[in-house]
Amino acid sequence: MPMMHVRVNPEKCQGHARCIAAVPEIFEEDEQGHSFARDEQVPADLVDAVRLAEQNCPELAIDVTDD
Ligand code: SF4
């Protein structure tokens, strides 16, 4: 069964923190105010929320892969 992985591209992230507000279980703020994915492997119950965060990131900084 494929697992979803997520990462935040630090080159693109501008730190709006939308993803952190939406899925605090996955996204966290670093010292610069940018987001990173705490656990790159997404638990099944958070897959939909992470996809929504990906779609709502204004910088298209969230990369999701299924593998
Ligand atoms: S929503 Fe996008 S730009 Fe904003 S903190 Fe999250 S990854 Fe960064």
Side-chain angles (χ1 to χ4, degrees):
M1 189 166 158
M3 283 294 295
M4 178 197 268
H5 290 74
V6 61
R7 63 181 291 277
V8 175
N9 185 334
E11 310 280 308
K12 292 184 182 175
C13 176
Q14 295 297 317
H16 307 286
R18 284 192 195 188
C19 56
I20 299 167
V23 200
E25 299 91 337
I26 295 290
F27 299 103
E28 193 169 345
E29 190 171 357
D30 69 13
E31 306 83 57
Q32 280 83 45
H34 296 147
S35 170
F36 66 95
R38 189 181 308 126
D39 187 348
E40 294 190 1
Q41 199 165 292
V42 179
D45 61 333
L46 293 176
V47 162
D48 289 346
V50 168
R51 284 212 191 279
L52 204 59
E54 176 198 20
Q55 290 160 14
N56 286 323
C57 173
E59 309 299 333
L60 305 178
I62 299 174
D63 293 322
V64 167
T65 55
D66 292 301
D67 49 34

